[in-house]
Amino acid sequence: MRRFSVAVLVAAAVAGVLTAAPARAAETFADCTATACHFDVPPGSYDVKVVLGGDTASSTSIAGETRRALLPETAVPAGERIARSFTVDVRTPEGEPTGAGGTPGLDLRLGGAAPALAGIKVTPARRTRQIFLVGDSTVCDQPGDPYSGWGQQLPQYLRKGLSVANHADSGESTVSYLADARLWATVRPLIRPGDLVLIQLAHNDKTTDEATYRANLETLVAGVREKGGEPVLVTPVVRRWFNSDGTLNNGTALLVNSLGVDHPAVIRSVAAARDVPLIDLTAKTRALVETLGVEGSKALYLYNEKRDNTHTSVHGATVYASLVREELVSRHLVPQGMVRVG
């Protein structure tokens, strides 16, 4: 990569690299261009501190790995500097668990109207609480534009000390998520005491009967608790499928499957019966989509690009991630001081 004039302050995650070649540590460990940085680190959680700003007014956002939003666009007046920190999960595969492996190490990309990076420091995270995401394509780290899952946008709302480990995967149901060794069997051993595990699976349970669906949710909940984590059940985002009266009061929009299984209702029932925190994203997204109406809600989904009323745009995923953030705080699952506002 072509290096640019930025004070790159890097602490190594691999002590041997610095010990073997201390004079070339920064060059070996990190390469930066005007728009990106790469760090040769093994899988794990890392704290990233950036200093933003320059001689002229700037506005910088940071994304990383598979299109994850890690820091929202931040404006800095001319001649000033602002420090911001966040924690990022580095893993392989870096995006969807059944997808491509991605690039080893940590990759960060600068965006925004006028990006300016004055300094960056990456260190292994020592006290990190993880938020694991178990879900489908409406949640996952989507590999390419114009798609985005709400889990892909959630990290930008969290401060240092909280990281998102998004193990959501396109096309998965409760049945397939439990059956595939790359999914639940991989996630469960990673859960540590105090970690949150948000579970949103429903869109692909189109032929799952109610008894099986309920049992699968209970299996996931029990598996999280056995590892000392805290499960959180999340009802699915609505499909943008309007009635003639401008409401979403129909099975397609509200995730009632071909067998008549009302997924959000079953999730609410399991949450109540098992004393599991509930984020009713179905109710939240329904209220928002109905308020915006037929035309206004198109921008949340990929209707204009793909005639897709299920998958969200980057804008829609960002809005839905903000709803999740609000619920995490209001239900005291995450301290208010650990999230970014706005």
Side-chain angles (χ1 to χ4, degrees), residues 61-277:
S61 63
I62 297 178
E65 300 296 87
T66 304
R67 303 175 61 239
R68 298 181 218 159
L70 299 173
L71 189 72
E73 189 158 355
T74 303
V76 183
E80 296 187 16
R81 303 290 187 273
I82 291 178
R84 292 288 186 267
S85 297
F86 54 87
T87 302
V88 60
D89 173 56
V90 177
R91 62 181 184 273
T92 302
E94 68 180 36
E96 294 182 87
T98 65
T103 304
L106 171 61
D107 288 286
L108 301 175
R109 288 171 291 283
L110 276 64
L117 179 65
I120 184 167
K121 182 178 181 180
V122 173
T123 55
R126 303 194 182 281
R127 287 182 291 275
T128 298
R129 186 186 187 195
Q130 296 227 79
I131 300 178
F132 289 92
L133 302 182
V134 169
D136 54 35
S137 58
T138 65
V139 185
C140 75
D141 289 348
Q142 291 280 0
D145 284 326
Y147 294 89
S148 180
W150 62 256
Q152 202 164 17
Q153 302 300 322
L154 185 61
Q156 67 185 301
Y157 292 119
L158 306 178
R159 298 184 185 276
K160 176 185 172 184
L162 270 178
S163 72
V164 174
N166 191 351
H167 291 264
D169 196 70
S170 293
E172 306 300 342
S173 64
T174 58
V175 176
S176 63
Y177 204 93
L178 286 167
D180 193 324
R182 295 169 294 180
L183 301 171
W184 184 236
T186 296
V187 175
R188 188 172 173 274
L190 301 175
I191 301 169
R192 299 172 300 184
D195 287 340
L196 289 177
V197 183
L198 276 57
I199 302 165
Q200 187 215 280
L201 288 166
H203 278 273
N204 299 300
D205 279 280
K206 297 171 184 175
T207 59
T208 309
D209 63 81
E210 182 169 339
T212 301
Y213 185 64
R214 180 182 298 272
N216 289 344
L217 292 175
E218 291 174 342
T219 296
L220 291 165
V221 166
V224 174
R225 285 176 166 166
E226 287 166 3
K227 298 295 291 183
E230 182 169 9
V232 180
L233 289 174
V234 183
T235 59
V237 300
V238 295
R239 295 190 180 101
R240 184 189 162 278
W241 198 266
F242 282 94
N243 297 325
S244 59
D245 62 0
T247 70
L248 299 180
N249 190 23
N250 61 78
T252 299
L254 301 181
L255 283 296
V256 178
N257 77 7
S258 60
L259 302 179
V261 180
D262 186 330
H263 293 103
V266 175
I267 295 169
R268 296 178 190 120
S269 174
V270 172
R274 300 296 178 181
D275 193 25
V276 179

Side-chain angles (χ1 to χ4, degrees), residues 252-322:
T252 299
L254 301 181
L255 283 296
V256 178
N257 77 7
S258 60
L259 302 179
V261 180
D262 186 330
H263 293 103
V266 175
I267 295 169
R268 296 178 190 120
S269 174
V270 172
R274 300 296 178 181
D275 193 25
V276 179
L278 174 74
I279 294 178
D280 199 340
L281 205 50
T282 304
K284 290 282 185 180
T285 55
R286 176 185 179 179
L288 177 60
V289 170
E290 288 184 342
T291 298
L292 291 173
V294 174
E295 290 301 318
S297 63
K298 287 179 178 178
L300 295 174
Y301 292 83
L302 295 174
Y303 178 84
N304 292 326
E305 298 87 348
K306 302 285 186 178
R307 293 298 187 267
D308 186 333
N309 292 305
T310 297
H311 296 98
T312 47
S313 61
V314 170
H315 167 66
T318 303
V319 171
Y320 286 177
S322 73

